[in-house]
Amino acid sequence: MNYYPTCSWPDLVLGISPHSDSSSITLLVQDDDLTALQIQHKEEWVPVKLVPNATAVNIGDVIDAWSNGLYKSIEHRALINEKKPRISNAAFVIPGDDVELNPLETMVDENHRPRIYKNDVTFVEYLRYTLAKKMDGKASNLEHLSYRCKVTVRSISFV
Ligand SMILES: O=C(O)CCC(=O)C(=O)O
Ligand SMILES: [Fe+2]
């Protein structure tokens, strides 16, 4: 549950900083009368149009990793309002702690869609990593999924 109080300087403060969710998908229920959620699209922040009584569904980093980047997790943020507080309720659908975030074999084609995340990071490791750091956008989280790859490649070249 997220509570965003009013703020006298809504242009200077964000309700929630840019991030992508570490979940597989997120179900988001929000107030029907305040447009606050924005997504990053073609390097612009685009407001998410409110659909009364609808639940918004976000793709999270887990699906991004499993699909080898075919289904991209969406970078998003929420604004704050000068006059009205806002509540949103996010339900994060997540895999088990030990589930690995490697791309599924069927999503990889070394000629046309090479593996972009090469690692053995488990979901709980990834979650710990993202929770421990400042929310600063999508890219810096997903870099963690190729981190092990770089280490592995380095250790192989040392052998
Ligand atoms: O309040 C919102 O619209 C977004 C909340 C959110 O992004 C989150 O809880 O991860
Ligand atoms: Fe989110």
Side-chain angles (χ1 to χ4, degrees), residues 12-82:
L12 301 181
V13 180
L14 283 173
I16 191 163
S17 300
H19 67 284
S20 55
D21 295 338
S22 312
S23 54
S24 49
I25 59 169
T26 305
L27 306 175
L28 184 77
V29 178
Q30 49 182 329
D31 291 340
D32 281 344
D33 57 347
L34 216 53
T35 303
L37 180 63
Q38 298 187 325
I39 58 164
Q40 179 73 207
H41 180 64
K42 296 187 178 162
E43 297 182 20
E44 304 236 351
W45 286 108
V46 180
V48 175
K49 213 172 130 199
L50 285 167
V51 179
N53 303 317
T55 299
V57 181
N58 281 349
I59 288 184
D61 296 341
V62 171
I63 297 272
D64 196 317
W66 283 343
S67 72
N68 198 26
L70 183 64
Y71 301 109
K72 297 187 180 18
S73 58
I74 192 79
E75 183 168 340
H76 54 286
R77 68 180 189 179
L79 304 183
I80 208 152
N81 193 272
E82 195 177 348

